[in-house]
Amino acid sequence: MGRTPWETLLRRSRPVFGYEFWECDIIYIQVVVLSSRWRGNVRKVVETKLLPYVTKPARYMGGEYNAVQKTWQPEQVKVVLAFPDVYEIGMAHLGLQILYWLINDREDALCERTYMPWTDMYQLMVQEGVPLFSLESFRPIRDFDVVGFTLQYELSYTNILHMLKLSGIPIRSKDRTDLDPLVVAGGPCAFNPEPVAEFFDVIVVGDGEEAVLDLLDLVRRAKAEGWSREQTLIEAAKIPGFYVPSFYEPVYDATGRIKSLNKHPEHGAARVQKRVVADLDQAYFPTKALVPWVEPVHDRVMIEVMRGCGRGCRFCQAGFVYRPPRERDPCLLQEQALALVRNSGYEEVALTSLSSGDYSEIASLVQSLITNLGEDRVSLSLPSLRVDSFSVGLASEIQKVRKSGLTFAMEAGTERLRKVINKQVTEEDLLAAVDAAFSAGWFSVKLYFMLGLPTETETDLAGIVDIVQKLRQLGRERLGSRVGKLRISVSVATFVPKPHTPFQFCAQDPPEVVRKKQDYLRRHLRMKGVKFSCHNLEQSLMEAVFARGDRRLSRVLERAVELGCVFDGWDEHFDYKLWARAFQDCGLDMSFYAHRVRDFAEINPWDHIDSGVSKEFFIKEYQTAIEEAHSPGCRERCLLCGVCQDLPVRMRLVRKSAKE
Ligand code: SF4
């Protein structure tokens, strides 16, 4: 039998949790009490008591053009998609839009949305006891059958906890009753779900289009047959790609490393294999788009030209976990683009993927889209391009009217280090591309680099400075009297070793080393026309800790939330001192997670999550990296990484003979 919310509360407030935890739970109590008082009346309270006093009230109003408003029926499966960042970021997320339309297309289900309220709204909601609500029906998200979070970025984890608190849903899965919704997660961070494992009932690994249909079927049966929460979790664990963390328990040795992972004797797979859509042409893709009230970070409709990237950059997690490359048919893409524009009124279409320049029919696709969309003055954008003059040619084709900046991801300053990371880009490629860009009318270029990559030396940092100097020289020669307009932006991130990559074994540079490297670049790039920026090194440290973290970090996350950590991905909110205190209070060491070289034989927290690429392949690739050797990409030669051998999927290219 499930417990009532009051029983849960009484149990949760036992003194063993300590004073500070109890104090924090006041939000939970307030929300439970007041949300029941205001059930059905949230909208009125929000409109009269909250919206007049917050910035950008339109973030919380719902009712956008194309938003789906279904009537609530008892037997429907009700899903709320929860995005742990602000509205403007969440509204630009393609995955969320796909799931929104897919679920709403089913008659037996409905889908609504909620986003993390900005801090002013959050405080007012706590103050007034208003629970987190959905934008479509203004219902508390506690009322839904499923709350689905997107695990997009490690630094949004604290926001997930805040959203659960604000909803009055117990934070930990073990504390939820049959009356609480099923709290589910998916997205790229699901490939190492352990730091957040205790907060979710189910975590879906891999492509979501088919998995979400299985989830709806599961919940529909659970509702119809009156299953308990436990029964639902048992059945969920039988579905491929569904990870139920409560059926797994890591055991640690005296050094803090994982000794073993104890799986429930009956429930859950030994390894949870990712879900993968074999044929994107058959996969669901919406031809409608929500049109937001507040300008999102990317104000455009998106078509996904391909999924996966076969290049094999050794630092790139997305490149490995979304293998193999699968391209969509160009005619289908045309239809989707036209329908999206017609149904939304947007004036820009973005061709998205991890590397859209690699799409084997990219030139003809762009040309036909320009022809078909140009009449209505709809423009195109290609957010990810290769560093070569072909890309510049393509960019000038699609940016004939307004030239936005060109971005080139070089990642490393020397040929040697680019071989280590398997980035197939040469300095000649870059110089030729920038030369073509200057000739085509561009004055500004942006360069991306990473510091702290494995085997990096001062020569590699000097290489970054050298590249920038060469580009300035090229600018002087090509731009002539217009040289005053030349702008070279250099953006430098810190290397974060990610799970499911050949560099998952590597250490991140400690902050004092990162600081020295950043200072070196700052000093040497003080040149006219050059703008240098680098990522906050402590945010990169937290990212590294949580990317490869284990289940013990859930305590740290809870403590960090108690201390006030929120919106950690936002510079103005990130407070490293609070994080340091949270780690200290929980007796855990950040360095253990971020600055330690991991043995090949060590059991990693994510080893039971199967991305398809074998650990042996990652070890081999790591060794190839140390030898500074190149590995061909999927399109050149299959290296038998494991994905196409072990999963029911193959690389799909629209032009079979396409070479990189
Ligand atoms: S099995 Fe081969 S083609 Fe498939 S993803 Fe791996 S390397 Fe690429």
Side-chain angles (χ1 to χ4, degrees):
M1 276 295 287
R3 296 184 299 268
T4 67
W6 284 111
E7 284 164 344
T8 309
L9 255 183
L10 290 171
R11 200 175 63 74
R12 283 165 56 78
S13 59
R14 280 182 309 183
V16 287
F17 288 110
Y19 172 73
E20 286 185 328
F21 201 91
W22 164 248
E23 183 183 61
C24 186
D25 267 3
I26 285 173
I27 299 174
Y28 175 79
I29 296 164
Q30 232 180 345
V31 166
V32 171
V33 175
L34 293 177
S35 74
S36 47
R37 198 180 82 203
W38 282 346
R39 188 151 299 177
N41 204 17
V42 172
R43 177 176 209 134
K44 196 167 158 218
V45 179
V46 169
E47 285 176 355
T48 56
K49 292 196 165 198
L50 307 184
L51 294 191
Y53 308 104
V54 297
T55 51
K56 301 193 185 176
R59 284 168 169 162
Y60 316 104
M61 283 168 27
E64 298 94 335
Y65 184 66
N66 277 338
V68 180
Q69 184 83 60
K70 283 192 172 180
T71 316
W72 278 46
Q73 310 286 351
E75 65 284 358
Q76 278 167 332
V77 179
K78 298 166 188 81
V79 181
V80 58
L81 296 177
F83 193 86
D85 213 315
V86 281
Y87 179 84
E88 296 92 303
I89 297 181
M91 283 298 278
H93 188 258
L94 179 61
L96 195 130
Q97 294 250 3
I98 294 175
L99 295 181
Y100 181 76
W101 294 104
L102 173 56
I103 300 170
N104 274 323
D105 272 5
R106 280 223 347 196
E107 274 187 14
D108 62 350
L110 68 77
C111 183
E112 303 193 0
R113 294 159 298 136
T114 190
Y115 304 88
M116 174 70 185
W118 190 243
T119 48
D120 54 355
M121 181 69 168
Y122 183 93
Q123 276 169 15
L124 273 182
M125 287 170 78
V126 171
Q127 198 178 305
E128 297 291 334
V130 175
L132 187 64
F133 56 90
S134 68
L135 292 188
E136 277 75 7
S137 65
F138 279 79
R139 287 183 189 246
I141 71 165
R142 276 181 65 86
D143 289 359
F144 287 78
D145 299 309
V146 179
V147 179
F149 277 96
T150 308
L151 294 179
Q152 204 56 32
Y153 178 39
E154 291 82 358
L155 295 192
S156 65
Y157 287 170
T158 51
N159 283 4
I160 295 174
L161 269 60
H162 281 289
M163 290 172 84
L164 288 172
K165 271 186 181 294
L166 199 51
S167 311
I169 298 170
I171 286 186
R172 287 185 180 253
S173 165
K174 69 178 173 54
D175 294 330
R176 289 182 198 130
T177 72
D178 290 354
L179 299 176
D180 292 304
L182 204 63
V183 183
V184 180
C189 295
F191 283 92
N192 178 21
E194 289 309 285
V196 287
E198 306 221 326
F199 310 123
F200 290 103
D201 303 314
V202 179
I203 296 176
V204 180
V205 182
D207 296 339
E209 290 97 332
E210 292 164 9
V212 78
L213 299 178
D214 290 344
L215 180 70
L216 296 178
D217 289 341
L218 173 87
V219 178
R220 189 170 42 81
R221 277 178 58 207
K223 279 175 71 138
E225 294 169 26
W227 292 352
S228 65
R229 172 170 289 267
E230 198 194 349
Q231 176 74 23
T232 310
L233 295 184
I234 291 171
E235 295 300 321
K238 293 178 187 165
I239 303 173
F242 281 41
Y243 174 51
V244 178
S246 54
F247 294 150
Y248 301 78
E249 188 194 4
V251 180
Y252 304 93
D253 67 16
T255 67
R257 291 163 175 79
I258 297 176
K259 197 159 98 185
S260 61
L261 182 75
N262 292 348
K263 189 187 81 63
H264 190 286
E266 291 163 43
H267 312 308
R271 281 169 65 72
V272 180
Q273 204 171 56
K274 79 170 178 187
R275 294 293 289 262
V276 60
V277 170
D279 181 0
L280 278 196
D281 292 343
Q282 303 300 323
Y284 179 88
F285 195 83
T287 47
K288 275 189 177 176
L290 289 159
V291 183
W293 293 122
V294 181
E295 190 179 338
V297 280
H298 303 299
D299 199 14
R300 58 203 184 192
V301 283
M302 290 163 273
I303 51 170
E304 188 189 19
V305 295
M306 56 187 267
R307 199 172 291 178
C309 168
R311 289 199 164 241
C313 297
R314 295 180 178 124
F315 57 86
C316 179
Q317 187 190 47
F320 286 100
V321 299
Y322 293 120
R323 279 182 171 211
R326 288 150 286 159
E327 297 181 344
R328 260 203 178 100
D329 178 74
C331 299
L332 189 59
L333 289 169
Q334 290 278 350
E335 284 168 26
Q336 290 173 349
L338 292 174
L340 275 167
V341 167
R342 203 171 42 238
N343 294 333
S344 68
Y346 265 102
E347 290 172 347
E348 185 177 331
V349 178
L351 276 54
T352 67
S353 77
L354 291 171
S355 175
S356 300
D358 287 336
Y359 180 75
S360 43
E361 293 288 352
I362 189 68
S364 59
L365 176 68
V366 164
Q367 202 50 61
S368 52
L369 282 171
I370 288 175
T371 311
N372 288 325
L373 297 168
E375 286 170 17
D376 299 325
R377 302 197 59 75
V378 175
S379 62
L380 281 188
S381 63
L382 268 154
S384 47
L385 280 174
R386 305 191 322 227
V387 176
D388 58 20
S389 39
F390 159 76
S391 294
V392 174
L394 212 56
S396 22
E397 188 65 22
I398 62 180
Q399 296 182 14
K400 275 189 179 133
V401 187
R402 185 177 53 86
K403 288 198 163 17
S404 56
L406 276 185
T407 303
F408 299 108
M410 289 298 282
E411 316 295 3
T414 59
E415 206 71 29
R416 183 201 70 80
L417 192 53
R418 284 192 293 273
K419 279 192 185 140
V420 170
I421 63 174
N422 210 36
K423 183 88 191 179
Q424 314 297 322
V425 171
T426 64
E427 204 170 290
E428 291 71 47
D429 286 337
L430 176 72
L431 290 172
V434 175
D435 198 350
F438 289 154
S439 312
W442 270 275
F443 301 108
S444 70
V445 289
K446 186 166 186 176
L447 305 174
Y448 279 132
F449 292 99
M450 237 187 277
L451 60 74
L453 285 161
T455 77
E456 182 188 69
T457 65
E458 197 170 321
T459 311
D460 301 303
L461 293 180
I464 296 177
V465 179
D466 189 47
I467 286 176
V468 176
Q469 279 167 337
K470 283 183 180 149
L471 292 187
R472 277 186 84 223
Q473 183 57 33
L474 189 66
R476 277 197 212 106
E477 289 165 16
R478 294 287 181 270
L479 298 177
S481 59
R482 297 166 302 164
V483 72
K485 289 186 174 179
L486 176 68
R487 290 284 172 278
I488 302 172
S489 304
V490 183
S491 175
V492 179
T494 304
F495 165 65
V496 175
K498 294 274 184 174
H500 301 282
T501 69
F503 290 160
Q504 65 179 11
F505 313 103
C506 301
Q508 187 183 52
D509 277 345
E512 58 280 9
V513 176
V514 176
R515 187 168 293 114
K516 273 190 196 149
K517 290 180 177 180
Q518 288 181 344
D519 288 346
Y520 172 93
L521 289 175
R522 196 173 287 114
R523 270 198 321 278
H524 288 82
L525 289 173
R526 221 169 268 143
M527 307 170 193
K528 195 167 183 298
V530 176
K531 187 169 161 265
F532 172 74
S533 63
C534 54
H535 284 197
N536 179 314
L537 59 95
E538 283 149 349
Q539 280 173 314
S540 302
L541 166 60
M542 297 316 308
E543 204 185 321
V545 167
F546 283 98
R548 293 186 301 166
D550 57 41
R551 212 175 266 210
R552 291 170 298 184
L553 291 181
S554 52
R555 287 203 322 259
V556 180
L557 279 169
E558 278 192 325
R559 183 69 187 129
V561 167
E562 286 168 31
L563 292 170
C565 291
V566 67
F567 281 111
D568 297 286
W570 294 68
D571 286 354
E572 67 264 47
H573 284 292
F574 179 75
D575 188 340
Y576 179 67
K577 283 197 216 77
L578 296 182
W579 278 105
R581 192 174 149 203
F583 271 89
Q584 200 183 21
D585 290 353
C586 296
L588 289 170
D589 177 14
M590 292 183 208
S591 290
F592 173 83
Y593 295 102
H595 306 137
R596 182 169 62 86
V597 174
R598 300 191 186 207
D599 200 85
F600 292 148
E602 181 174 338
I603 300 173
N604 293 306
W606 59 89
D607 280 354
H608 57 298
I609 304 296
D610 185 1
S611 69
V613 186
S614 67
K615 192 166 178 180
E616 293 68 41
F617 179 81
F618 288 136
I619 294 172
K620 211 163 90 201
E621 268 296 286
Y622 172 79
Q623 286 158 341
T624 315
I626 299 305
E627 289 160 13
E628 300 173 8
H630 162 67
S631 290
C634 298
R635 293 168 196 244
E636 283 174 81
R637 178 159 60 84
C638 173
L639 290 183
L640 307 174
C641 76
V643 175
C644 303
Q645 290 75 48
D646 293 344
L647 301 182
V649 62
R650 294 284 176 279
M651 177 166 68
R652 287 177 77 100
L653 305 180
V654 291
R655 178 153 41 98
K656 299 287 177 259
S657 60
K659 293 272 181 220
E660 292 199 335

